[in-house]
Amino acid sequence: MIMQLSVGRTTYLRMSPRVQVWVPEIASKDLLSCVHTDEYLTNFIHGRVNEQDQKRTGFSWSEGLVSRCRYETGGTVLAAQVALQRGLACSTAGGTHHAFPGYGSGFCLINDLAVAAKYLMGNSSPKRKVLIVDLDVHQGDGTAFIFKEEPSVFTFSVHCGKNFPLRKQQSDLDVSVEDGLEDEEYLSIVEAHLPWLLETFRPDLVLYDAGVDPHQEDELGRLRLTDRGLYKRDLYVMKTMVSRGVPVAAVIGGGYSRDIDKLALRHSIVHRAATQVWREFGM
């Protein structure tokens, strides 16, 4: 059961501890405008998207695509709200970190991470501090650009340096890795940075992009992580947050395969790791 109390643009959720699955509301244009320009949103929502813009995103425009992106963003916001109350939550979508305020790029139309961060940061006093941990194989260039002058948001990206996007933005902390990196080396990099970030930045909320495209079978990844490596990564990230009392909301991020069943199973890794954390900490 979810009880909602709305005051102005702020919605407070009171959630029954018995409920484990929630369904998001569609993200309003007003909500999306905290990140994206009015011109871009109007054109995207109403289908005034030219061929060049569609090529840049990799998607042909449709009403269904618009609906999906808006529900996806609503899901990330909801996951963050649940995490603030319950300590840990996961979305079954999200991680569209290549979207910029005025245009989409790289299969990303709306930057759900940025919308969630801005919405939850702005709806608290004092302003919440949000750490975005982006472990998708591609740098979160849109997110980095959006928050480049926002001290209350820290963007941390571990990505393959010789992969998309060609022109990188400047995150607060970028760790560029070489092609072919395997499980243990990758995890050691994450372990070397994450505790230090939590101790120095002291976030009130973590948004975790658990992209599965570092996997060795990913068609656009160029790294060599295994299923087990991804599980250990996700388990480490979420246990590190929860053990320190820092709320964490995870999204599935990128993953590319022609075998949809295999890809879906790979995207479920973060949820399986979260279940383990939930049980270990008696949440």
Side-chain angles (χ1 to χ4, degrees):
M1 177 181 180
I2 305 177
M3 296 179 63
Q4 295 190 349
L5 173 63
S6 297
V7 181
R9 290 179 58 186
T10 305
T11 301
Y12 302 92
L13 300 183
R14 298 173 182 172
M15 298 166 181
S16 166
R18 296 187 299 274
V19 177
Q20 297 297 315
V21 179
W22 291 270
V23 178
E25 295 182 356
I26 194 166
S28 67
K29 183 181 177 183
D30 186 45
L31 172 61
L32 302 180
S33 68
C34 72
V35 167
H36 295 282
T37 66
D38 183 73
E39 180 182 12
Y40 173 65
L41 290 174
T42 298
N43 289 340
F44 174 57
I45 291 170
H46 298 289
R48 297 196 285 269
V49 184
N50 62 42
E51 186 176 344
Q52 180 181 353
D53 289 340
Q54 292 182 73
K55 184 176 181 180
R56 179 164 54 192
T57 64
F59 288 124
S60 297
W61 184 90
S62 69
E63 290 183 359
L65 179 64
V66 174
S67 178
R68 183 208 179 278
C69 291
R70 294 175 68 180
Y71 273 112
E72 175 179 49
T73 303
T76 302
V77 172
L78 178 58
Q81 290 175 312
V82 174
L84 286 169
Q85 293 200 24
R86 304 283 294 273
L88 172 63
C90 299
S91 174
T92 56
T96 48
H97 57 178
H98 297 310
F100 283 73
Y103 60 90
S105 177
F107 305 113
C108 301
L109 288 305
I110 299 294
N111 196 313
D112 64 300
L113 293 166
V115 170
K118 279 212 172 188
Y119 177 73
L120 291 166
M121 178 181 64
N123 283 344
S124 65
S125 182
K127 187 183 288 187
R128 285 190 184 94
K129 295 171 69 177
V130 181
L131 169 62
I132 298 176
V133 176
D134 193 335
L135 300 187
D136 189 283
V137 80
H138 307 105
Q139 190 213 34
D141 53 338
T143 314
F145 177 85
I146 289 164
F147 293 118
K148 63 182 179 180
E149 296 179 356
E150 176 50 73
S152 294
V153 176
F154 193 102
T155 53
F156 169 45
S157 176
V158 179
H159 54 267
C160 182
K162 295 178 181 178
N163 209 323
F164 180 90
L166 179 63
R167 179 178 296 178
K168 307 290 193 291
Q169 297 292 322
Q170 182 66 54
S171 305
D172 291 300
L173 177 59
D174 284 304
V175 180
S176 176
V177 302
E178 295 296 322
D179 291 13
L181 196 71
E182 297 183 351
D183 290 346
E184 295 307 317
E185 297 170 288
Y186 183 97
L187 188 58
S188 68
I189 290 172
V190 177
E191 291 173 340
H193 291 90
L194 198 55
W196 172 79
L197 284 176
L198 293 175
E199 291 165 11
T200 56
F201 183 64
R202 297 187 177 277
D204 301 301
L205 171 68
V206 172
L207 300 178
Y208 172 41
D209 186 337
V212 299
D213 40 14
H215 194 273
Q216 60 187 358
E217 295 180 8
D218 191 90
E219 294 177 13
L220 300 179
R222 304 177 72 162
L223 301 188
R224 295 195 53 80
L225 272 67
T226 63
D227 285 358
R228 183 64 182 167
L230 290 174
Y231 181 83
K232 289 175 68 175
R233 177 199 70 175
D234 294 344
L235 191 66
Y236 172 77
V237 170
M238 290 184 284
K239 285 182 71 170
T240 299
M241 307 306 175
V242 172
S243 67
R244 288 166 169 77
V246 181
V248 54
V251 297
I252 66 170
Y256 305 91
S257 174
R258 290 178 177 83
D259 190 328
I260 299 302
D261 291 336
K262 277 189 177 181
L263 182 59
L265 187 61
R266 209 169 291 155
H267 274 307
S268 74
I269 289 172
V270 67
H271 301 281
R272 285 180 269 155
T275 300
Q276 178 65 27
V277 174
W278 190 270
R279 289 171 177 163
E280 282 190 28
F281 286 86
M283 304 176 73

